[in-house]
Amino acid sequence: MKLTRTPGRVFWCLGFSVALHLAAPVEAEETKEFLGTRWIGGVEMSFSRKTELVLLNRWPVETEVAIRLDSSYGALEGRWTIPAMSQRTVEISGMSGPQTAGTIRVQSNRPIVANGYVVNSDQTIMCGRCVLGRPGLRGSEEVGWLVGLRQLEGRFRSDILLTNPDCSNEAVPVEITLFAADGRELVSFSLEVENGTTLFSPAPIKQAAGRPDLAWWYARIEGCVLASASVVDLRTGDATTVPMITDGKSNDDEFPEWQQWLEIAASCDGQLDSSWHTDLIVLNPGEDLANVELIFHGPSGPYSSGVAISGSNQEVFQDVVDLLGSSGKGLLEIRSDRPLAVSGRVHNATDAGTAGHAVAGRNVDAGLIAGETVW
């Protein structure tokens, strides 16, 4: 693909394609209309950061893709063709100047898988975080939760990212409410996100609530936007993406048993004098008391413990596998008599700090059944 310099535009550096062979390719219809749209918010570019966009065409025929990148430096639009059953990596080159953030819109004439990876690197270490391609919120009345956020001077910082996926061609109002872990409302403020853009709210618990040191907190997001947050280890530069949780927000109905799973939880030794740990974050967004049971399914059998979580409270179980009296790697089950918002962070720890990734709580019906395929 040939790119030409255009005033006010940023530029793409195209990567490579890797063939992906499927045992049973699906049928595809020839069409030139751009049907599917995916949004990737929180794209970052600076001297030490870059963003890689990965596109997978799982069809047995080629697929046309259009990409638009919007940032404070302008916009770039490009189109190309991804060969049948292939994956292409697109790298957004670093820019000479201040840090830039933006939003990527991916459109294709057939459904594709689109994800992003924001990489932070220097001469000694490289770490990154995944940014998933997603459609917008289903409606303006929906409430989202960002849990397990942190603010400790010199150690951790959490930022909030809001993306308006251009669903109405106008700015979208968003209400953000920040809470302490014990459910106390600290501050509420409104922002407007212009169409097709990403808005950063850096360290809002410090900037808006005046709390420079608050070990754990959470946020409520109201508005027709994509939202995510980050937990940045300021010692290593590692940023863990915190996805927004939109289920488990109501307790108006009776739930005889509510259940979610963390696909991986660990407490064990790592390489080079490091160790692996899992922090479990459980938010009870309702008003009633939630009776919760935590069960670690590990190599030496199940280990469990019960806990009661008051309404609007967030409980953090640091190194939860060790807390339950076990060790090793396994599966974590969370049961409750009320719906919850659940997330986890699996991280590798050294004397220099931590590097890790988020693990979202999943319902059992989110898994695969016979005949289904995952990408």
PDB file of all heavy atoms in Angstrom, residues 271-303:
ATOM      1  N   GLN A 271      10.726 -16.895  37.227  1.00  0.00           N
ATOM      2  CA  GLN A 271      12.130 -16.931  36.829  1.00  0.00           C
ATOM      3  C   GLN A 271      12.876 -15.720  37.363  1.00  0.00           C
ATOM      4  O   GLN A 271      12.290 -14.678  37.671  1.00  0.00           O
ATOM      5  CB  GLN A 271      12.245 -16.997  35.304  1.00  0.00           C
ATOM      6  CG  GLN A 271      11.661 -18.269  34.697  1.00  0.00           C
ATOM      7  CD  GLN A 271      11.841 -18.328  33.196  1.00  0.00           C
ATOM      8  OE1 GLN A 271      12.030 -17.310  32.536  1.00  0.00           O
ATOM      9  NE2 GLN A 271      11.791 -19.523  32.642  1.00  0.00           N
ATOM     10  N   LEU A 272      14.182 -15.862  37.493  1.00  0.00           N
ATOM     11  CA  LEU A 272      15.076 -14.760  37.847  1.00  0.00           C
ATOM     12  C   LEU A 272      14.646 -14.069  39.145  1.00  0.00           C
ATOM     13  O   LEU A 272      14.519 -12.848  39.215  1.00  0.00           O
ATOM     14  CB  LEU A 272      15.150 -13.739  36.702  1.00  0.00           C
ATOM     15  CG  LEU A 272      15.604 -14.294  35.342  1.00  0.00           C
ATOM     16  CD1 LEU A 272      15.538 -13.220  34.287  1.00  0.00           C
ATOM     17  CD2 LEU A 272      17.008 -14.872  35.444  1.00  0.00           C
ATOM     18  N   ASP A 273      14.417 -14.875  40.183  1.00  0.00           N
ATOM     19  CA  ASP A 273      14.075 -14.349  41.513  1.00  0.00           C
ATOM     20  C   ASP A 273      12.786 -13.529  41.511  1.00  0.00           C
ATOM     21  O   ASP A 273      12.648 -12.579  42.289  1.00  0.00           O
ATOM     22  CB  ASP A 273      15.226 -13.497  42.075  1.00  0.00           C
ATOM     23  CG  ASP A 273      16.494 -14.307  42.300  1.00  0.00           C
ATOM     24  OD1 ASP A 273      16.364 -15.474  42.723  1.00  0.00           O
ATOM     25  OD2 ASP A 273      17.579 -13.776  42.043  1.00  0.00           O
ATOM     26  N   SER A 274      11.858 -13.873  40.654  1.00  0.00           N
ATOM     27  CA  SER A 274      10.559 -13.199  40.637  1.00  0.00           C
ATOM     28  C   SER A 274       9.496 -14.149  41.181  1.00  0.00           C
ATOM     29  O   SER A 274       9.759 -15.337  41.422  1.00  0.00           O
ATOM     30  CB  SER A 274      10.195 -12.757  39.219  1.00  0.00           C
ATOM     31  OG  SER A 274       9.951 -13.891  38.390  1.00  0.00           O
ATOM     32  N   SER A 275       8.308 -13.630  41.370  1.00  0.00           N
ATOM     33  CA  SER A 275       7.197 -14.450  41.845  1.00  0.00           C
ATOM     34  C   SER A 275       5.907 -13.986  41.197  1.00  0.00           C
ATOM     35  O   SER A 275       5.772 -12.825  40.798  1.00  0.00           O
ATOM     36  CB  SER A 275       7.081 -14.375  43.378  1.00  0.00           C
ATOM     37  OG  SER A 275       6.932 -13.029  43.806  1.00  0.00           O
ATOM     38  N   TRP A 276       4.946 -14.917  41.082  1.00  0.00           N
ATOM     39  CA  TRP A 276       3.643 -14.630  40.475  1.00  0.00           C
ATOM     40  C   TRP A 276       2.566 -14.548  41.553  1.00  0.00           C
ATOM     41  O   TRP A 276       2.544 -15.358  42.482  1.00  0.00           O
ATOM     42  CB  TRP A 276       3.274 -15.719  39.462  1.00  0.00           C
ATOM     43  CG  TRP A 276       4.056 -15.640  38.201  1.00  0.00           C
ATOM     44  CD1 TRP A 276       5.203 -16.327  37.892  1.00  0.00           C
ATOM     45  CD2 TRP A 276       3.766 -14.826  37.068  1.00  0.00           C
ATOM     46  NE1 TRP A 276       5.646 -15.991  36.641  1.00  0.00           N
ATOM     47  CE2 TRP A 276       4.782 -15.066  36.105  1.00  0.00           C
ATOM     48  CE3 TRP A 276       2.760 -13.909  36.767  1.00  0.00           C
ATOM     49  CZ2 TRP A 276       4.800 -14.421  34.874  1.00  0.00           C
ATOM     50  CZ3 TRP A 276       2.788 -13.270  35.536  1.00  0.00           C
ATOM     51  CH2 TRP A 276       3.793 -13.532  34.603  1.00  0.00           C
ATOM     52  N   HIS A 277       1.683 -13.570  41.403  1.00  0.00           N
ATOM     53  CA  HIS A 277       0.616 -13.364  42.370  1.00  0.00           C
ATOM     54  C   HIS A 277      -0.655 -12.940  41.634  1.00  0.00           C
ATOM     55  O   HIS A 277      -0.601 -12.431  40.510  1.00  0.00           O
ATOM     56  CB  HIS A 277       0.995 -12.290  43.395  1.00  0.00           C
ATOM     57  CG  HIS A 277       2.309 -12.540  44.058  1.00  0.00           C
ATOM     58  ND1 HIS A 277       2.454 -13.375  45.137  1.00  0.00           N
ATOM     59  CD2 HIS A 277       3.558 -12.068  43.766  1.00  0.00           C
ATOM     60  CE1 HIS A 277       3.729 -13.408  45.501  1.00  0.00           C
ATOM     61  NE2 HIS A 277       4.414 -12.635  44.693  1.00  0.00           N
ATOM     62  N   THR A 278      -1.795 -13.109  42.292  1.00  0.00           N
ATOM     63  CA  THR A 278      -3.084 -12.703  41.731  1.00  0.00           C
ATOM     64  C   THR A 278      -3.856 -11.886  42.758  1.00  0.00           C
ATOM     65  O   THR A 278      -4.067 -12.341  43.885  1.00  0.00           O
ATOM     66  CB  THR A 278      -3.932 -13.925  41.327  1.00  0.00           C
ATOM     67  OG1 THR A 278      -3.208 -14.700  40.368  1.00  0.00           O
ATOM     68  CG2 THR A 278      -5.261 -13.482  40.726  1.00  0.00           C
ATOM     69  N   ASP A 279      -4.246 -10.682  42.350  1.00  0.00           N
ATOM     70  CA  ASP A 279      -5.118  -9.844  43.174  1.00  0.00           C
ATOM     71  C   ASP A 279      -6.535  -9.954  42.632  1.00  0.00           C
ATOM     72  O   ASP A 279      -6.771  -9.715  41.440  1.00  0.00           O
ATOM     73  CB  ASP A 279      -4.666  -8.385  43.151  1.00  0.00           C
ATOM     74  CG  ASP A 279      -3.281  -8.190  43.737  1.00  0.00           C
ATOM     75  OD1 ASP A 279      -2.864  -9.031  44.549  1.00  0.00           O
ATOM     76  OD2 ASP A 279      -2.610  -7.204  43.370  1.00  0.00           O
ATOM     77  N   LEU A 280      -7.471 -10.314  43.480  1.00  0.00           N
ATOM     78  CA  LEU A 280      -8.880 -10.429  43.103  1.00  0.00           C
ATOM     79  C   LEU A 280      -9.628  -9.205  43.604  1.00  0.00           C
ATOM     80  O   LEU A 280      -9.504  -8.833  44.772  1.00  0.00           O
ATOM     81  CB  LEU A 280      -9.492 -11.693  43.697  1.00  0.00           C
ATOM     82  CG  LEU A 280     -11.010 -11.852  43.546  1.00  0.00           C
ATOM     83  CD1 LEU A 280     -11.383 -12.065  42.079  1.00  0.00           C
ATOM     84  CD2 LEU A 280     -11.519 -13.003  44.406  1.00  0.00           C
ATOM     85  N   ILE A 281     -10.392  -8.575  42.721  1.00  0.00           N
ATOM     86  CA  ILE A 281     -11.195  -7.408  43.086  1.00  0.00           C
ATOM     87  C   ILE A 281     -12.665  -7.760  42.910  1.00  0.00           C
ATOM     88  O   ILE A 281     -13.091  -8.203  41.833  1.00  0.00           O
ATOM     89  CB  ILE A 281     -10.838  -6.181  42.217  1.00  0.00           C
ATOM     90  CG1 ILE A 281      -9.355  -5.829  42.357  1.00  0.00           C
ATOM     91  CG2 ILE A 281     -11.689  -4.993  42.604  1.00  0.00           C
ATOM     92  CD1 ILE A 281      -8.472  -6.405  41.282  1.00  0.00           C
ATOM     93  N   VAL A 282     -13.450  -7.577  43.968  1.00  0.00           N
ATOM     94  CA  VAL A 282     -14.878  -7.900  43.947  1.00  0.00           C
ATOM     95  C   VAL A 282     -15.654  -6.674  44.418  1.00  0.00           C
ATOM     96  O   VAL A 282     -15.477  -6.210  45.544  1.00  0.00           O
ATOM     97  CB  VAL A 282     -15.198  -9.104  44.848  1.00  0.00           C
ATOM     98  CG1 VAL A 282     -16.688  -9.425  44.778  1.00  0.00           C
ATOM     99  CG2 VAL A 282     -14.372 -10.323  44.443  1.00  0.00           C
ATOM    100  N   LEU A 283     -16.518  -6.155  43.550  1.00  0.00           N
ATOM    101  CA  LEU A 283     -17.368  -5.018  43.877  1.00  0.00           C
ATOM    102  C   LEU A 283     -18.812  -5.481  44.005  1.00  0.00           C
ATOM    103  O   LEU A 283     -19.335  -6.156  43.109  1.00  0.00           O
ATOM    104  CB  LEU A 283     -17.261  -3.940  42.799  1.00  0.00           C
ATOM    105  CG  LEU A 283     -18.286  -2.795  42.881  1.00  0.00           C
ATOM    106  CD1 LEU A 283     -18.049  -1.940  44.128  1.00  0.00           C
ATOM    107  CD2 LEU A 283     -18.242  -1.931  41.615  1.00  0.00           C
ATOM    108  N   ASN A 284     -19.445  -5.111  45.105  1.00  0.00           N
ATOM    109  CA  ASN A 284     -20.881  -5.320  45.266  1.00  0.00           C
ATOM    110  C   ASN A 284     -21.573  -4.002  44.911  1.00  0.00           C
ATOM    111  O   ASN A 284     -21.643  -3.090  45.730  1.00  0.00           O
ATOM    112  CB  ASN A 284     -21.213  -5.721  46.700  1.00  0.00           C
ATOM    113  CG  ASN A 284     -22.709  -5.868  46.938  1.00  0.00           C
ATOM    114  OD1 ASN A 284     -23.516  -5.779  46.017  1.00  0.00           O
ATOM    115  ND2 ASN A 284     -23.083  -6.089  48.193  1.00  0.00           N
ATOM    116  N   PRO A 285     -22.085  -3.854  43.671  1.00  0.00           N
ATOM    117  CA  PRO A 285     -22.650  -2.572  43.247  1.00  0.00           C
ATOM    118  C   PRO A 285     -24.058  -2.320  43.763  1.00  0.00           C
ATOM    119  O   PRO A 285     -24.597  -1.229  43.572  1.00  0.00           O
ATOM    120  CB  PRO A 285     -22.637  -2.684  41.723  1.00  0.00           C
ATOM    121  CG  PRO A 285     -22.793  -4.145  41.473  1.00  0.00           C
ATOM    122  CD  PRO A 285     -22.095  -4.852  42.593  1.00  0.00           C
ATOM    123  N   GLY A 286     -24.651  -3.316  44.388  1.00  0.00           N
ATOM    124  CA  GLY A 286     -26.009  -3.146  44.879  1.00  0.00           C
ATOM    125  C   GLY A 286     -26.046  -2.579  46.291  1.00  0.00           C
ATOM    126  O   GLY A 286     -25.033  -2.142  46.840  1.00  0.00           O
ATOM    127  N   GLU A 287     -27.221  -2.608  46.888  1.00  0.00           N
ATOM    128  CA  GLU A 287     -27.414  -2.053  48.225  1.00  0.00           C
ATOM    129  C   GLU A 287     -27.408  -3.125  49.309  1.00  0.00           C
ATOM    130  O   GLU A 287     -27.108  -2.839  50.471  1.00  0.00           O
ATOM    131  CB  GLU A 287     -28.733  -1.273  48.274  1.00  0.00           C
ATOM    132  CG  GLU A 287     -28.786  -0.080  47.323  1.00  0.00           C
ATOM    133  CD  GLU A 287     -30.114   0.641  47.386  1.00  0.00           C
ATOM    134  OE1 GLU A 287     -31.013   0.162  48.130  1.00  0.00           O
ATOM    135  OE2 GLU A 287     -30.271   1.664  46.691  1.00  0.00           O
ATOM    136  N   ASP A 288     -27.746  -4.360  48.957  1.00  0.00           N
ATOM    137  CA  ASP A 288     -27.864  -5.422  49.953  1.00  0.00           C
ATOM    138  C   ASP A 288     -26.537  -6.128  50.177  1.00  0.00           C
ATOM    139  O   ASP A 288     -25.655  -6.151  49.310  1.00  0.00           O
ATOM    140  CB  ASP A 288     -28.908  -6.444  49.508  1.00  0.00           C
ATOM    141  CG  ASP A 288     -30.295  -5.840  49.399  1.00  0.00           C
ATOM    142  OD1 ASP A 288     -30.554  -4.854  50.123  1.00  0.00           O
ATOM    143  OD2 ASP A 288     -31.098  -6.338  48.589  1.00  0.00           O
ATOM    144  N   LEU A 289     -26.402  -6.750  51.331  1.00  0.00           N
ATOM    145  CA  LEU A 289     -25.217  -7.529  51.666  1.00  0.00           C
ATOM    146  C   LEU A 289     -25.092  -8.717  50.722  1.00  0.00           C
ATOM    147  O   LEU A 289     -26.086  -9.392  50.415  1.00  0.00           O
ATOM    148  CB  LEU A 289     -25.315  -8.022  53.114  1.00  0.00           C
ATOM    149  CG  LEU A 289     -24.112  -8.792  53.662  1.00  0.00           C
ATOM    150  CD1 LEU A 289     -22.975  -7.819  53.960  1.00  0.00           C
ATOM    151  CD2 LEU A 289     -24.516  -9.568  54.919  1.00  0.00           C
ATOM    152  N   ALA A 290     -23.877  -8.976  50.251  1.00  0.00           N
ATOM    153  CA  ALA A 290     -23.608 -10.127  49.395  1.00  0.00           C
ATOM    154  C   ALA A 290     -22.766 -11.141  50.160  1.00  0.00           C
ATOM    155  O   ALA A 290     -21.719 -10.797  50.713  1.00  0.00           O
ATOM    156  CB  ALA A 290     -22.880  -9.696  48.127  1.00  0.00           C
ATOM    157  N   ASN A 291     -23.243 -12.379  50.219  1.00  0.00           N
ATOM    158  CA  ASN A 291     -22.494 -13.472  50.833  1.00  0.00           C
ATOM    159  C   ASN A 291     -21.713 -14.184  49.735  1.00  0.00           C
ATOM    160  O   ASN A 291     -22.306 -14.756  48.811  1.00  0.00           O
ATOM    161  CB  ASN A 291     -23.441 -14.431  51.540  1.00  0.00           C
ATOM    162  CG  ASN A 291     -24.154 -13.759  52.704  1.00  0.00           C
ATOM    163  OD1 ASN A 291     -23.528 -13.378  53.683  1.00  0.00           O
ATOM    164  ND2 ASN A 291     -25.468 -13.596  52.574  1.00  0.00           N
ATOM    165  N   VAL A 292     -20.395 -14.123  49.820  1.00  0.00           N
ATOM    166  CA  VAL A 292     -19.517 -14.542  48.727  1.00  0.00           C
ATOM    167  C   VAL A 292     -18.648 -15.709  49.174  1.00  0.00           C
ATOM    168  O   VAL A 292     -18.146 -15.730  50.309  1.00  0.00           O
ATOM    169  CB  VAL A 292     -18.619 -13.365  48.272  1.00  0.00           C
ATOM    170  CG1 VAL A 292     -17.749 -13.778  47.094  1.00  0.00           C
ATOM    171  CG2 VAL A 292     -19.479 -12.158  47.907  1.00  0.00           C
ATOM    172  N   GLU A 293     -18.471 -16.662  48.283  1.00  0.00           N
ATOM    173  CA  GLU A 293     -17.557 -17.772  48.518  1.00  0.00           C
ATOM    174  C   GLU A 293     -16.493 -17.772  47.421  1.00  0.00           C
ATOM    175  O   GLU A 293     -16.820 -17.725  46.233  1.00  0.00           O
ATOM    176  CB  GLU A 293     -18.288 -19.111  48.524  1.00  0.00           C
ATOM    177  CG  GLU A 293     -17.374 -20.279  48.873  1.00  0.00           C
ATOM    178  CD  GLU A 293     -18.098 -21.617  48.888  1.00  0.00           C
ATOM    179  OE1 GLU A 293     -19.247 -21.674  48.404  1.00  0.00           O
ATOM    180  OE2 GLU A 293     -17.508 -22.600  49.382  1.00  0.00           O
ATOM    181  N   LEU A 294     -15.233 -17.815  47.833  1.00  0.00           N
ATOM    182  CA  LEU A 294     -14.106 -17.881  46.907  1.00  0.00           C
ATOM    183  C   LEU A 294     -13.552 -19.297  46.934  1.00  0.00           C
ATOM    184  O   LEU A 294     -13.258 -19.844  48.002  1.00  0.00           O
ATOM    185  CB  LEU A 294     -13.014 -16.887  47.315  1.00  0.00           C
ATOM    186  CG  LEU A 294     -13.448 -15.444  47.571  1.00  0.00           C
ATOM    187  CD1 LEU A 294     -12.253 -14.604  48.000  1.00  0.00           C
ATOM    188  CD2 LEU A 294     -14.123 -14.851  46.343  1.00  0.00           C
ATOM    189  N   ILE A 295     -13.375 -19.894  45.752  1.00  0.00           N
ATOM    190  CA  ILE A 295     -12.896 -21.278  45.650  1.00  0.00           C
ATOM    191  C   ILE A 295     -11.756 -21.323  44.649  1.00  0.00           C
ATOM    192  O   ILE A 295     -11.941 -20.989  43.468  1.00  0.00           O
ATOM    193  CB  ILE A 295     -14.019 -22.230  45.208  1.00  0.00           C
ATOM    194  CG1 ILE A 295     -15.255 -22.069  46.094  1.00  0.00           C
ATOM    195  CG2 ILE A 295     -13.523 -23.679  45.233  1.00  0.00           C
ATOM    196  CD1 ILE A 295     -16.473 -22.792  45.568  1.00  0.00           C
ATOM    197  N   PHE A 296     -10.578 -21.726  45.106  1.00  0.00           N
ATOM    198  CA  PHE A 296      -9.431 -21.898  44.212  1.00  0.00           C
ATOM    199  C   PHE A 296      -9.298 -23.373  43.871  1.00  0.00           C
ATOM    200  O   PHE A 296      -9.124 -24.218  44.755  1.00  0.00           O
ATOM    201  CB  PHE A 296      -8.145 -21.398  44.869  1.00  0.00           C
ATOM    202  CG  PHE A 296      -6.906 -21.658  44.044  1.00  0.00           C
ATOM    203  CD1 PHE A 296      -6.715 -21.023  42.831  1.00  0.00           C
ATOM    204  CD2 PHE A 296      -5.936 -22.555  44.487  1.00  0.00           C
ATOM    205  CE1 PHE A 296      -5.585 -21.258  42.050  1.00  0.00           C
ATOM    206  CE2 PHE A 296      -4.798 -22.792  43.728  1.00  0.00           C
ATOM    207  CZ  PHE A 296      -4.626 -22.145  42.505  1.00  0.00           C
ATOM    208  N   HIS A 297      -9.403 -23.681  42.573  1.00  0.00           N
ATOM    209  CA  HIS A 297      -9.246 -25.047  42.088  1.00  0.00           C
ATOM    210  C   HIS A 297      -7.812 -25.186  41.590  1.00  0.00           C
ATOM    211  O   HIS A 297      -7.477 -24.799  40.473  1.00  0.00           O
ATOM    212  CB  HIS A 297     -10.249 -25.335  40.970  1.00  0.00           C
ATOM    213  CG  HIS A 297     -11.673 -25.153  41.385  1.00  0.00           C
ATOM    214  ND1 HIS A 297     -12.427 -26.170  41.955  1.00  0.00           N
ATOM    215  CD2 HIS A 297     -12.491 -24.064  41.333  1.00  0.00           C
ATOM    216  CE1 HIS A 297     -13.642 -25.731  42.219  1.00  0.00           C
ATOM    217  NE2 HIS A 297     -13.717 -24.453  41.849  1.00  0.00           N
ATOM    218  N   GLY A 298      -6.946 -25.737  42.446  1.00  0.00           N
ATOM    219  CA  GLY A 298      -5.530 -25.820  42.136  1.00  0.00           C
ATOM    220  C   GLY A 298      -5.018 -27.241  42.087  1.00  0.00           C
ATOM    221  O   GLY A 298      -5.793 -28.213  42.131  1.00  0.00           O
ATOM    222  N   PRO A 299      -3.683 -27.401  42.014  1.00  0.00           N
ATOM    223  CA  PRO A 299      -3.093 -28.735  41.857  1.00  0.00           C
ATOM    224  C   PRO A 299      -3.304 -29.650  43.053  1.00  0.00           C
ATOM    225  O   PRO A 299      -3.257 -30.875  42.917  1.00  0.00           O
ATOM    226  CB  PRO A 299      -1.606 -28.434  41.645  1.00  0.00           C
ATOM    227  CG  PRO A 299      -1.400 -27.065  42.213  1.00  0.00           C
ATOM    228  CD  PRO A 299      -2.674 -26.332  41.988  1.00  0.00           C
ATOM    229  N   SER A 300      -3.560 -29.101  44.236  1.00  0.00           N
ATOM    230  CA  SER A 300      -3.745 -29.927  45.431  1.00  0.00           C
ATOM    231  C   SER A 300      -5.196 -29.939  45.900  1.00  0.00           C
ATOM    232  O   SER A 300      -5.476 -30.204  47.073  1.00  0.00           O
ATOM    233  CB  SER A 300      -2.834 -29.437  46.555  1.00  0.00           C
ATOM    234  OG  SER A 300      -3.074 -28.068  46.853  1.00  0.00           O
ATOM    235  N   GLY A 301      -6.128 -29.645  45.000  1.00  0.00           N
ATOM    236  CA  GLY A 301      -7.532 -29.689  45.358  1.00  0.00           C
ATOM    237  C   GLY A 301      -8.112 -28.322  45.628  1.00  0.00           C
ATOM    238  O   GLY A 301      -7.398 -27.316  45.635  1.00  0.00           O
ATOM    239  N   PRO A 302      -9.427 -28.234  45.878  1.00  0.00           N
ATOM    240  CA  PRO A 302     -10.064 -26.933  46.094  1.00  0.00           C
ATOM    241  C   PRO A 302      -9.779 -26.375  47.494  1.00  0.00           C
ATOM    242  O   PRO A 302      -9.745 -27.108  48.482  1.00  0.00           O
ATOM    243  CB  PRO A 302     -11.550 -27.240  45.921  1.00  0.00           C
ATOM    244  CG  PRO A 302     -11.680 -28.688  46.262  1.00  0.00           C
ATOM    245  CD  PRO A 302     -10.406 -29.335  45.838  1.00  0.00           C
ATOM    246  N   TYR A 303      -9.576 -25.063  47.539  1.00  0.00           N
ATOM    247  CA  TYR A 303      -9.432 -24.318  48.793  1.00  0.00           C
ATOM    248  C   TYR A 303     -10.463 -23.203  48.747  1.00  0.00           C
ATOM    249  O   TYR A 303     -10.577 -22.496  47.739  1.00  0.00           O
ATOM    250  CB  TYR A 303      -8.033 -23.722  48.947  1.00  0.00           C
ATOM    251  CG  TYR A 303      -6.956 -24.727  49.278  1.00  0.00           C
ATOM    252  CD1 TYR A 303      -6.462 -25.592  48.311  1.00  0.00           C
ATOM    253  CD2 TYR A 303      -6.428 -24.803  50.560  1.00  0.00           C
ATOM    254  CE1 TYR A 303      -5.479 -26.521  48.611  1.00  0.00           C
ATOM    255  CE2 TYR A 303      -5.431 -25.717  50.881  1.00  0.00           C
ATOM    256  CZ  TYR A 303      -4.966 -26.570  49.898  1.00  0.00           C
ATOM    257  OH  TYR A 303      -3.985 -27.481  50.204  1.00  0.00           O
TER     258      TYR A 303
END
